[in-house]
Amino acid sequence: MGLAWAAGRARPLRPDTPLPVPPPLPPGRVVTVPGRAELFVRDLPGPRAPPSPPILLLHAFMYPSDVTWFGCYAPLGGVGRVLATDFRGHGRGPRPATPFRLVDVADDVAALIRTLETGPVIAVGYSLGGAIAQLLWRRHPDVVAGLVLCATSASFSTRAQDRWIWRAMGVLQLGLRVLPRPWWEQGVALQAAGRLPRIFTRMIHPETPQELLELLPWLFGEVDRGSAEDIAEAGRELGRYDARDWLHAVDVPTAVLITARDRLVPPAGQHDLADRIPGASKLVLDADHDGVVAAAEDFVPLLVEAVRAVAAAASDTRAGGSDTRAGEGTVGRVRPA
């Protein structure tokens, strides 16, 4: 009865709620991908010289491209052309009737690259997007010039507690469908104001920058675009994902950006991912899983560094070189969040 009441309750009138004002974002357009879907694409032209492979941004679990990457678009635009799209059931992504599958998303992305005729890209994946980037290389190596894998892993269920978390995605689906949006908005707002006795989200903490707090209404609206069913299935798919048997075959320049205080994707699994890819460089950030947003002042320069290194190595390889590394050996970078 309580769930039925919550689901049927009218949205409360809150005249003091600020309108969602987005941060600066690249131009967006809808691209018809034959045989797949209509995909919404952010497209930011890069510098004319020196030439660099396009940079394709693949977003995190639950959070569509703009929420994951809004602080990264412009800085990466100084390296090369930047593209970003939303996965099935996330943000402005398509809503097919079929269940969410990681391989289908990878195929969507490959078809988009071919439709845009960009040539091979640097696939930059965060969390869920890291798994998509790995699958993109495995299933469509012709469209991948390099990989930058952030806060992600080769397997997300190496620990018993992780397996239970991903299996419990049905509870998340129910919560997203039943709980009125103003409830969780109010919870985050109270936590941001220091008036909540328990932690509602790890994204908000006493050191959260004021400019991020001012974006909360926009962030809520963007996350709310997603399909609860697809998001829950995406979580279960991550729980089933395991690339450990084939990552040794990756033959493109690769950098792995590790979030060293990550409570969702264990840092040991992120290091294991890098160790399984021949010649992969490691860059380590002292941040939790939300580092791309909550520690952007440190994350973004490190990401730009990684993408520049991979792009340079990819360009050298295409010019006739044989070195597929993003840098000499392992690059250990520890910066405070």
Side-chain angles (χ1 to χ4, degrees), residues 1 15 51 54 68 70 104 207 245 293 333:
M1 290 295 293
T68 302
F70 69 88
D104 292 334
E207 288 77 34
D245 288 343
V293 173
R333 307 277 179 158

Side-chain angles (χ1 to χ4, degrees), residues 56-116:
L56 177 66
L57 302 179
L58 304 170
H59 63 75
F61 171 64
M62 286 187 65
Y63 299 127
S65 288
D66 287 347
V67 174
T68 302
W69 301 114
F70 69 88
C72 304
Y73 286 136
L76 288 174
V79 180
R81 180 184 181 185
V82 178
L83 300 164
T85 188
D86 291 342
F87 305 153
R88 298 179 176 207
H90 290 71
R92 297 174 175 83
R95 301 286 194 275
T98 54
F100 183 102
R101 294 292 181 265
L102 297 177
V103 293
D104 292 334
V105 176
D107 293 348
D108 290 344
V109 172
L112 173 65
I113 295 169
R114 295 186 179 108
T115 299
L116 295 176

Side-chain angles (χ1 to χ4, degrees), residues 40 42 54 66 73 75 78 81-83 85 89 103 106 118-119 139 154 173 178 204 245 249 254 260 301 323:
F40 179 81
R42 295 283 182 200
D66 287 347
Y73 286 136
R81 180 184 181 185
V82 178
L83 300 164
T85 188
V103 293
T118 65
R139 296 171 67 84
Q173 177 181 334
V178 170
I204 303 300
D245 288 343
T254 301
D323 189 358

